[in-house]
Amino acid sequence: MDGPRWTVEELAGRAGVTVRTLRFYGAKGLLPPPELGARRVGWYGAEHLGRLELIEELQRQGLTLAAIERYLAQLPQDIGELDLAIHRALVASWTPESAEEASREQVERRAGRPLSDADLDSLTAMGALHRTDDPGVFKVDPGLLPLGVRVLDVPIPLETLVAARAVVRLHSRATAHDLHRLFRDTVWRPYRESAPEPAELERMRELTDRIQPVVVQALVTAFQRSLAEELARPHPEEGAGRAAGQ
């Protein structure tokens, strides 16, 4: 197991859940088993934490355990910490007002590392943190914080983070608007015009809720593929720079 590792008590404390809750998730198969060490002590890693945080976020969105099981079952078996963080950030975006207040010490505890003033500025630019009237208190986006902490180790200028966030927000809102309009016009409107029974209408709403995770996963997959293709595609500026250096 690469990276940090924790006992069941340490993982529960890091994620803000009880040990009983963590063991329950493990018994349901929502969390993979820990790696057994000396004296049969179970060790959990970053992937366990990422999966646990995703489960908690899905529960905050109101998904049932059965729906969460279906969501997790569609994830790759070897999904890493970064991909889990991306999924969680997108799921958290279903309720944009999910920010929680926390002191600087609490933010650092959740981040798992000390944070400099520059780190806090970067996390704020990414939307993972929002400043309040009290300089020692922040509003934390629980979905974006783990992803934002990982980005801190990449030397990206603050202005680039601000511009990148604006691009993502612009295109994600446009995508959400177009998908909502498509579903409303081609599914909901014809269905409601057919005068369904109240029970059938409620069933349709439940089915609609179950579609959300599928749509999110489709968007994540499409974005990751598009990004990989874009990074692999040669750009004229890069070719000119290499030629000049020869």
Side-chain angles (χ1 to χ4, degrees):
M1 181 185 296
D2 298 328
R5 60 179 193 167
W6 306 284
T7 63
V8 64
E9 291 83 6
E10 291 170 337
L11 177 64
R14 181 76 184 272
V17 301
T18 66
V19 171
R20 182 178 179 182
T21 296
L22 197 154
R23 293 194 189 281
F24 173 74
Y25 290 155
K28 294 285 291 182
L30 301 178
L31 279 180
E35 181 180 295
L36 292 180
R39 299 181 181 177
R40 298 189 61 79
V41 174
W43 292 103
Y44 296 84
E47 286 75 18
H48 289 94
L49 177 60
R51 189 173 289 260
L52 181 58
E53 290 176 334
L54 176 57
I55 293 169
E56 288 292 299
E57 189 60 52
L58 289 168
Q59 280 209 317
R60 271 193 287 269
Q61 301 298 328
L63 270 68
T64 64
L65 282 178
I68 293 174
E69 286 184 51
R70 287 192 297 269
Y71 187 102
L72 296 178
Q74 297 178 65
L75 299 180
Q77 290 294 320
D78 59 347
I79 188 170
E81 177 191 4
L82 178 58
D83 285 336
L84 286 167
I86 292 173
H87 275 272
R88 187 182 177 211
L90 285 170
V91 170
S93 69
W94 296 349
T95 53
E97 302 303 324
S98 61
E100 307 165 357
E101 286 197 354
S103 66
R104 180 169 182 161
E105 292 74 17
Q106 290 171 320
V107 173
E108 290 181 335
R109 192 178 309 121
R110 296 183 68 164
R113 58 188 279 182
L115 297 172
S116 66
D117 290 342
D119 290 337
L120 295 174
D121 288 340
S122 295
L123 290 171
T124 301
M126 286 183 270
L129 294 180
H130 302 273
R131 299 188 183 277
T132 67
D133 293 336
D134 185 339
V137 176
F138 300 85
K139 284 190 174 182
V140 181
D141 187 312
L144 283 178
L145 183 60
L147 191 60
V149 171
R150 287 186 62 101
V151 175
L152 291 178
D153 296 325
V154 183
I156 301 177
L158 185 61
E159 57 270 22
T160 301
L161 292 175
V162 174
R165 183 187 178 200
V167 169
V168 170
R169 287 173 66 88
L170 174 64
H171 291 284
S172 60
R173 282 179 175 173
T175 301
H177 174 76
D178 289 344
L179 286 174
H180 178 263
R181 182 178 59 185
L182 177 66
F183 188 81
R184 180 194 62 203
D185 294 345
T186 63
V187 179
W188 259 111
R189 183 171 295 163
Y191 185 77
R192 292 183 68 92
E193 289 175 353
S194 67
E197 296 293 330
E200 283 297 314
L201 190 60
E202 183 60 31
R203 180 173 174 274
M204 185 63 174
R205 289 196 180 96
E206 292 176 0
L207 290 174
T208 302
D209 291 340
R210 289 170 58 181
I211 289 173
Q212 268 190 330
V214 178
V215 173
V216 169
Q217 285 183 287
L219 289 173
V220 171
T221 301
F223 176 76
Q224 287 176 322
R225 288 176 180 171
S226 298
L227 183 59
E229 291 170 359
E230 185 67 21
L231 292 175
R233 184 168 64 89
H235 289 266
E237 297 86 351
E238 296 173 356
R242 284 194 294 269
Q246 290 177 352

